[in-house]
Amino acid sequence: MKVPIIMLGSVSELQGYIDKTQLTEDLGGTLDYCHNRWLSRRTAIEGFAQKVKQTAQILQSFGTELAETELPNDVQSTSSLLATHTEKKDKMKEDIRVAVEQGDDILGNITKPVTENPEYKLNQDQLDNQTTVERLLAQLHETETAFDEFWIKHQQKLEQCLHLRNFEHNFREVKAALDIVSERLSAFTDVGNSRSHAEHILKDLANFEEKSHETVAKARMLASERDAFIQSNHYAVDSIIPKCSELHHLCDAFTTETERRRNLLNKSLELHDLLEKSMKWCDEGIYLLASQPVDKCQSQDGAESALQEIEKFLDTGAGNKIKELNKIYREYAHILNEDLKEHVQKVFQKQENMEEMFQKRQVSLKKLAAKQTRPVQPVAPRPEAFVKSPCTSPGLQRENASNSESSALRRVNYRKGKSEMTELHQSRGGSTMDDEENLAVLRQHVMNELIETERAYVEELLCVLEGYAAEMDNPLMAHLISPELQNKKDILFGNMEEIYHFHNRIFLRELETYVEYPELVGRCFLDQMEDFQIYEKYCQNKPRSESLWRQFSDSVFFQECQRKLDHKLSLDSYLLKPVQRITKYQLLLKEMLKYSKNCEGAEDLQEALTSILGILKAVNDSMHQIAITGYDGNLNELGKLLMQGSFNVWTDHKKGHTKVKDLARFKPMQRHLFLHEKAVLFCKKREENGEGYEKAPSYSYKHSLNMAAVGITENVKGDAKKFEIWYNAREEVYIIQAPTPEVKATWVNEIRKVLTSQLQACREASQHRTLEQTQSLPLPLPASSCASPSRNHIRNTKKMEEKKADLTSLEGCGPTVAPKYPEKGKGWAKPSHSLDASEENDGWSSAEEPLNSSDAEEEGGGGGGEIKLTPGKYTVVTDYDKGVSEEFTVKSGDLVQLIREGEDGLWFVKNLSSGREGWIPASNLLMLIGNSKSAQSLSSSESGTASSNLSTSSSCSDSCNVSSTSFSDIKG
């Protein structure tokens, strides 16, 4: 097809061919068109279309991601996922908002001419652009609406999942808490062994219920969310409803069980009330029987009056006594355990015994009331026979019952008539029976008091341990405890828990087995006497405990504990209970012994009383012992503490300046002595300061004497309260003045026992050694070699007069090496075994010479036996420089000390002149010391006292064990 081409030279020519309305303004037409604007607008429209398409794709992809996301199984992950998705949703919404704003801007530019001039008509191209942009905006709005609907569902699902996870988490916590409180509730199995115990448990149950209320309320609130889940159409409602039902069931079960426990305890209180009423009624009946004067009952009027009293009292038993035992068993079957059932049986048995006693008394009184007295004028007895003490209380009446009956028996002897004498003899027999009956009643009363107070004591200890000690470990109470008080429970309470377990598990149960045999209860104390030693530890800790209490007595913690326990007294009053209890036993034992003089268990009661008093003395002594300060060693190594007390002490030592010795004779020192099995300690008593237990004195250690080197002189002329303790062959003499002669006698006897036991141990060791040597000999020695004690006495007396007490002494008994103790003033003194005694034969020392006595010298010298070395101080007679240690040498005239024998025949020797020590063979040692005597023994022969002395020694030869005593009067 041929198209004509017309060449135009001007715009006007163009307008001739094309209408102006179809030409743009640059060609002189009226058409509103700009190509650059069209390009810009078209580009914007295409960009907006691409934006709408990308937004739709992103929303589609995000929706797919949300739909495919698995729901987490825990709260934290679910919460994190919800936050992440919400953040992405918000970003998508922001992108949509930006795209919508972009489309609105494009559409506004297209419709701007019409907005400015309502008469303006858009051309076709503009109309097409407007339609395109509006279609894209509608598509964007539809996409946003669909996304919003999807997001609402997805968000609801996530929120329900989060709610479910929170519910499951809370369910696990609440169920665990319910399990714990249910487990604790199951521990309330005890119904109490007394009214106070049952009240204490009931109070604990109420406190427990109050503490558990929050847990139960939380569980019920969580279970009540079931309706909210159902109303919200939760997707997991099928798994939520069973859990809510389980919580309801657990809460109801806990409430029901708590109520059941409370009812059991109330029932227990009811039973204990009944038992206590019966016990009280029995006690009142026993008091009535014990308080009825026997002398008044001998007359017809008196017997009738007593019968009326008994009948009146029996009438009160309707509301107090146990009527049917089987009815009690049926009514309280669900709370009767073995212990409680046994207690009921004992109370019922006591009630029956008491009623039987009343029946016997009624029979006896009815006989006396029915007796017709002849009108015979009786002879008036002595006035003093009718003097009676008023019975103002049951206690006084019990004490006077025996005397009243005795006076009645005396008055019977004044009645006349043969028939009356027969009746009076019967009356006398009945009176004796009543007397024994009253004693049995009094014994039973003491036993009841012992058991009841023991039960109360155990309950008080338990109350303190649970209400105070356990609370110190309670995290909920930790904020009330000051930092200085933390970790101080052992100081504050000592070994109270150990004491509680002993009494609760052992002693109380043992006591209850003697309830029907009160006169035999002494055996119970004796069987458990060793366990009572735990009180010594408690009392020793008491000063530290009281000091700690004074520092923190105003603590909020203690006040809160006291408030919870509803105690009127503060903790310190209960911390004193063990001290009060251990002193209470001796009072009860004295009472029981008073009413059991002729009973089978009287000896056990007396022994138990003595043992308890011994424990109290040991406790008192230990309280003084722990107050010793300045002693470097271990006091426990000194053996058992036997005695302690304050004395006036004079010293009389050989060493020292004469003026100092003379001054010491006239000026006594105030010293507190502690006598142990192995040493006696001299201490200075310090002034008492502080309050409470801090007022207790303290003792500053001065010096000590090893009992292995101690002797005593029992009597000192001029003062019956003085005795002597001397040391190292009277190198040191201590004159002791006791407060009273009785105290002196007690101390002397105790010291004598210690020295005697040491002497006995020494003799047994010597006998054992001699027996071994005798068995090793080929032939036995003749009997004549063993001199009799009387011949030894004569021979020793003669030798002592000839040799002027030239004896050698032994520093130990046998081959046993004496241990090295601290120097004097820091511990034990060095051992020495020399003997002296007074002229009354009252000198005692355990250091009797088993080998180097005068008898041993005579027999050994005659037989030419081998000389045996013993520890001691000797003078060297020749020089020596060949010791095992090259540095150890001795010269003639040096004073050496044989310390101990080692292996391979070596002796450890110290040169007292040079201070050096070393090992020397025994063969060389014999040549060094020759026939020299012990330096200590020589010094002892030179010593003297103001009064004549006796020297006691024990001699044992190698062939046989001969014990002899030599006496020589040495005039000072």
Side-chain angles (χ1 to χ4, degrees):
M1 181 180 66
K2 294 182 179 180
V3 179
I5 299 174
I6 299 173
M7 300 294 293
L8 300 175
S10 63
V11 175
S12 58
E13 292 178 0
L14 179 62
Q15 292 176 351
Y17 290 94
I18 302 173
D19 189 76
K20 289 183 178 181
T21 59
Q22 299 297 323
L23 293 175
T24 60
E25 292 178 352
D26 56 341
L27 294 177
T30 59
L31 182 63
D32 185 14
Y33 173 79
C34 175
H35 188 66
N36 290 333
R37 185 175 60 191
W38 181 87
L39 287 175
S40 175
R41 186 172 293 169
R42 195 64 193 175
T43 303
I45 292 173
E46 290 179 357
F48 176 63
Q50 186 66 27
K51 180 72 173 177
V52 171
K53 182 178 179 181
Q54 290 178 353
T55 301
Q57 291 176 350
I58 292 174
L59 290 177
Q60 181 67 29
S61 176
F62 181 55
T64 303
E65 179 186 351
L66 295 182
E68 294 177 353
T69 301
E70 293 184 1
L71 299 178
N73 293 324
D74 59 279
V75 175
Q76 185 176 0
S77 299
T78 305
S79 178
S80 176
L81 180 64
L82 179 60
T84 302
H85 285 187
T86 302
E87 183 179 357
K88 288 183 179 181
K89 183 267 298 184
D90 293 340
K91 186 177 181 183
M92 293 295 99
K93 292 288 289 182
E94 180 65 20
D95 292 343
I96 293 174
R97 185 188 64 79
V98 172
V100 170
E101 287 181 355
Q102 182 180 355
D104 290 340
D105 290 342
I106 295 174
L107 185 61
N109 290 331
I110 294 174
T111 58
K112 184 177 180 181
V114 177
T115 303
E116 293 177 352
N117 184 10
E119 296 180 357
Y120 181 82
K121 293 182 180 181
L122 299 176
N123 57 30
Q124 188 63 37
D125 185 61
Q126 289 175 332
L127 291 174
D128 293 340
N129 288 341
Q130 181 181 0
T131 302
T132 302
V133 172
E134 288 177 348
R135 179 176 55 81
L136 290 175
L137 284 173
Q139 182 181 350
L140 187 60
H141 282 301
E142 290 176 358
T143 304
E144 182 181 11
T145 302
F147 175 75
D148 288 342
E149 292 177 355
F150 174 77
W151 170 253
I152 290 173
K153 294 179 180 179
H154 180 72
Q155 184 182 27
Q156 182 182 9
K157 188 175 182 180
L158 283 179
E159 289 176 348
Q160 288 183 347
C161 179
L162 181 60
H163 193 185
L164 175 63
R165 299 297 178 247
N166 280 319
F167 174 81
E168 291 174 343
H169 175 73
N170 294 333
F171 173 80
R172 287 191 294 269
E173 287 186 347
V174 169
K175 188 175 184 302
L178 283 176
D179 291 340
I180 291 175
V181 297
S182 299
E183 183 179 356
R184 291 179 179 176
L185 179 62
S186 63
F188 284 86
T189 57
D190 197 355
V191 294
N193 53 20
S194 66
R195 175 178 175 79
S196 58
H197 190 196
E199 288 178 343
H200 181 72
I201 298 175
L202 192 60
K203 186 176 181 181
D204 288 344
L205 180 63
N207 292 334
F208 169 74
E209 187 178 9
E210 182 180 354
K211 293 178 181 178
S212 305
H213 176 72
E214 182 179 355
T215 300
V216 176
K218 187 176 180 181
R220 292 193 182 278
M221 183 178 297
L222 186 62
S224 65
E225 294 181 8
R226 178 182 62 178
D227 296 336
F229 281 108
I230 295 175
Q231 292 176 1
S232 63
N233 295 322
H234 198 283
Y235 69 90
V237 68
D238 293 337
S239 64
I240 294 173
I241 292 177
K243 290 183 172 63
C244 293
S245 300
E246 183 179 1
L247 288 179
H248 276 300
H249 174 72
L250 290 175
C251 292
D252 293 340
F254 175 80
T255 304
T256 303
E257 182 64 17
T258 303
E259 189 64 25
R260 189 182 74 85
R261 300 283 182 186
R262 184 185 295 105
N263 292 335
L264 288 177
L265 290 171
N266 288 328
K267 206 69 176 173
S268 177
L269 281 176
E270 181 181 327
L271 176 59
H272 284 297
D273 282 339
L274 179 59
L275 295 177
E276 286 187 2
K277 285 182 179 179
S278 178
M279 290 282 289
K280 185 179 180 181
W281 186 67
C282 290
D283 290 339
E284 291 175 353
I286 291 172
Y287 283 132
L288 176 60
L289 290 177
S291 61
Q292 285 185 338
V294 179
D295 55 345
K296 290 185 178 180
C297 297
Q298 301 304 316
S299 64
Q300 185 175 0
D301 293 339
E304 291 177 352
S305 176
L307 274 173
Q308 291 177 359
E309 289 181 356
I310 291 176
E311 291 172 356
K312 183 178 179 181
F313 173 77
L314 291 177
D315 291 339
T316 63
N320 294 320
K321 69 177 184 178
I322 301 175
K323 297 179 181 178
E324 295 182 17
L325 190 60
N326 292 331
K327 183 179 179 182
I328 296 294
Y329 288 161
R330 290 193 302 270
E331 186 176 355
Y332 300 97
H334 47 290
I335 65 169
L336 281 177
N337 52 35
E338 291 298 327
D339 293 338
L340 192 53
K341 190 173 182 180
E342 183 180 359
H343 183 47
V344 172
Q345 291 173 348
K346 290 179 179 179
V347 173
F348 187 73
Q349 183 64 38
K350 179 179 180 180
Q351 179 180 299
E352 286 187 333
N353 293 339
M354 192 271 293
E355 290 178 337
E356 183 180 356
M357 292 165 59
F358 267 85
Q359 291 174 1
K360 292 180 179 179
R361 180 65 65 86
Q362 281 179 312
V363 171
S364 177
L365 291 174
K366 285 178 180 179
K367 290 181 180 180
L368 293 174
K371 180 179 60 177
Q372 298 297 327
T373 306
R374 294 183 181 180
V376 178
Q377 181 66 32
V379 179
R382 291 188 299 270
E384 58 270 18
F386 290 92
V387 177
K388 294 180 287 185
S389 300
C391 299
T392 57
S393 67
L396 293 176
Q397 290 169 351
R398 293 198 306 273
E399 293 177 2
N400 294 332
S402 178
N403 294 332
S404 299
E405 294 171 9
S406 300
S407 62
L409 290 176
R410 288 195 300 269
R411 291 198 303 273
V412 165
N413 294 327
Y414 293 96
R415 300 184 180 271
K416 295 182 178 181
K418 184 176 180 180
S419 60
E420 292 174 344
M421 288 300 295
T422 304
E423 293 178 355
L424 291 176
H425 281 297
Q426 294 176 353
S427 176
R428 182 182 296 132
S431 177
T432 304
M433 181 180 65
D434 288 345
D435 185 47
E436 291 298 326
E437 184 180 290
N438 288 339
L439 288 177
V441 168
L442 294 172
R443 286 195 297 269
Q444 191 63 50
H445 172 65
V446 176
M447 190 67 193
N448 292 340
E449 182 181 359
L450 175 59
I451 293 178
E452 291 302 322
T453 54
E454 184 71 16
R455 288 173 180 163
Y457 174 57
V458 170
E459 292 171 6
E460 288 172 344
L461 292 181
L462 178 62
C463 188
V464 172
L465 292 174
E466 290 184 346
Y468 287 97
E471 289 297 310
M472 293 188 73
D473 298 327
N474 186 357
L476 300 178
M477 300 285 286
H479 65 285
L480 300 178
I481 304 176
S482 59
E484 296 81 4
L485 185 59
Q486 292 179 353
N487 302 321
K488 297 290 182 64
K489 184 172 72 172
D490 291 339
I491 297 178
L492 186 61
F493 298 97
N495 62 330
M496 179 180 284
E497 185 174 358
E498 182 183 8
I499 294 174
Y500 165 73
H501 288 311
F502 161 64
H503 285 271
N504 184 49
R505 298 174 180 175
I506 301 174
F507 190 63
L508 177 57
R509 297 181 181 180
E510 290 296 321
L511 276 180
E512 290 173 342
T513 61
Y514 288 86
V515 66
E516 300 298 333
Y517 313 98
E519 66 276 3
L520 302 180
V521 76
R523 175 52 50 192
C524 178
F525 279 88
L526 293 176
D527 291 341
Q528 311 300 331
M529 196 56 64
E530 291 185 3
D531 292 323
F532 280 104
Q533 304 294 334
I534 58 179
Y535 278 90
E536 185 172 341
K537 180 179 178 181
Y538 185 85
C539 293
Q540 287 178 350
N541 180 71
K542 195 67 178 71
R544 299 174 62 203
S545 172
E546 186 166 279
S547 177
L548 184 65
W549 166 254
R550 280 197 302 274
Q551 295 178 34
F552 301 100
S553 59
D554 296 333
S555 171
V556 179
F557 169 76
F558 292 127
Q559 295 175 1
E560 178 65 15
C561 291
Q562 183 177 349
R563 185 191 65 80
K564 288 183 178 180
L565 294 172
D566 195 22
H567 281 177
K568 296 180 180 179
L569 300 176
S570 55
L571 174 61
D572 58 329
S573 299
Y574 291 90
L575 293 177
L576 195 59
K577 292 291 182 181
V579 181
Q580 296 172 337
R581 187 60 182 169
I582 192 63
T583 56
K584 176 71 172 178
Y585 287 128
Q586 55 102 5
L587 299 177
L588 293 172
L589 285 173
K590 285 180 181 178
E591 281 293 306
M592 185 66 76
L593 185 61
K594 177 181 176 182
Y595 304 131
S596 309
K597 293 293 185 181
N598 300 322
C599 295
E600 177 185 352
E603 293 183 0
D604 288 343
L605 284 171
Q606 182 61 56
E607 186 178 352
L609 175 59
T610 303
S611 299
I612 285 290
L613 292 175
I615 288 178
L616 292 177
K617 177 184 177 300
V619 169
N620 181 59
D621 290 346
S622 67
M623 296 294 288
H624 289 272
Q625 183 182 13
I626 62 175
I628 297 177
T629 60
Y631 184 77
D632 292 340
N634 186 355
L635 290 173
N636 294 328
E637 295 178 356
L638 305 184
K640 182 180 178 182
L641 177 62
L642 304 175
M643 303 282 289
Q644 56 84 24
S646 296
F647 300 89
N648 291 330
V649 179
W650 291 264
T651 59
D652 186 7
H653 301 342
K654 289 183 178 180
K655 298 179 181 180
H657 196 274
T658 304
K659 292 183 178 180
V660 175
K661 293 195 293 181
D662 293 341
L663 180 61
R665 291 178 184 270
F666 296 102
K667 185 177 181 181
M669 297 177 293
Q670 300 296 324
R671 289 291 182 264
H672 200 90
L673 272 59
F674 293 86
L675 176 63
H676 294 76
E677 291 177 326
K678 297 182 181 179
V680 56
L681 273 61
F682 289 76
C683 301
K684 183 176 181 180
K685 186 175 181 180
R686 292 183 176 179
E687 294 182 358
E688 304 172 357
N689 296 317
E691 297 178 357
Y693 274 91
E694 290 185 356
K695 282 188 175 182
S698 61
Y699 304 97
S700 177
Y701 170 78
K702 294 301 180 182
H703 65 281
S704 60
L705 303 177
N706 184 359
M707 290 302 294
V710 162
I712 62 169
T713 302
E714 297 186 12
N715 297 320
V716 176
K717 290 182 178 180
D719 194 337
K721 296 183 293 185
K722 288 183 180 179
F723 63 97
E724 287 184 352
I725 297 179
W726 40 267
Y727 188 73
N728 271 1
R730 300 190 69 85
E731 285 186 358
E732 302 177 14
V733 179
Y734 300 88
I735 302 173
I736 313 297
Q737 184 184 48
T740 63
E742 291 76 15
V743 174
K744 169 203 166 180
T746 304
W747 272 73
V748 168
N749 290 336
E750 199 65 38
I751 295 175
R752 185 190 296 117
K753 290 179 183 177
V754 175
L755 299 182
T756 303
S757 63
Q758 290 180 353
L759 176 59
Q760 184 65 28
C762 181
R763 285 177 176 173
E764 290 176 357
S766 177
Q767 290 174 359
H768 180 69
R769 214 169 41 249
T770 303
L771 181 60
E772 290 179 349
Q773 295 173 357
T774 304
Q775 292 175 350
S776 64
L777 295 177
L779 293 175
L781 293 177
S784 59
S785 63
C786 298
S788 64
S790 60
R791 293 178 59 188
N792 283 336
H793 169 70
I794 299 172
R795 181 167 63 241
N796 289 340
T797 304
K798 186 175 180 181
K799 276 182 70 73
M800 291 298 290
E801 291 175 353
E802 292 175 354
K803 296 187 177 183
K804 300 297 182 182
D806 186 13
L807 305 174
T808 60
S809 68
L810 199 62
E811 284 196 353
C813 295
T816 305
V817 180
K820 289 185 176 181
Y821 299 106
E823 295 180 0
K824 183 181 176 184
K826 297 182 179 180
W828 287 16
K830 297 179 181 179
S832 176
H833 299 275
S834 301
L835 304 172
D836 281 302
S838 65
E839 60 186 356
E840 292 85 6
N841 192 20
D842 54 5
W844 285 81
S845 172
S846 63
E848 301 191 6
E849 301 167 332
L851 293 176
N852 289 26
S853 66
S854 58
D855 287 69
E857 287 182 13
E858 182 179 0
E859 294 173 3
E866 180 181 355
I867 301 176
K868 186 171 183 179
L869 296 171
T870 58
K873 297 179 182 178
Y874 300 87
T875 303
V876 178
V877 296
T878 181
D879 296 344
Y880 178 78
D881 58 357
K882 298 179 181 180
V884 176
S885 175
E886 296 180 358
E887 298 180 356
F888 183 77
T889 60
V890 294
K891 296 181 180 180
S892 177
D894 287 348
L895 184 64
V896 297
Q897 180 177 7
L898 276 62
I899 298 178
R900 63 180 182 273
E901 184 178 5
E903 299 177 354
D904 301 329
L906 296 176
W907 272 83
F908 189 71
V909 181
K910 181 177 182 179
N911 189 340
L912 299 180
S913 301
S914 63
R916 295 182 178 180
E917 299 175 343
W919 292 91
I920 299 180
S923 56
N924 295 343
L925 195 57
L926 289 172
M927 293 185 298
L928 286 175
I929 63 178
N931 294 326
S932 67
K933 307 297 181 183
S934 167
Q936 294 176 348
S937 186
L938 292 173
S939 65
S940 67
S941 65
E942 299 168 359
S943 65
T945 61
S947 62
S948 54
N949 297 283
L950 302 178
S951 177
T952 307
S953 64
S954 175
S955 164
C956 298
S957 65
D958 291 340
S959 60
C960 64
N961 182 31
V962 180
S963 177
S964 63
T965 306
S966 60
F967 305 94
S968 62
D969 293 332
I970 304 174
K971 189 173 182 180

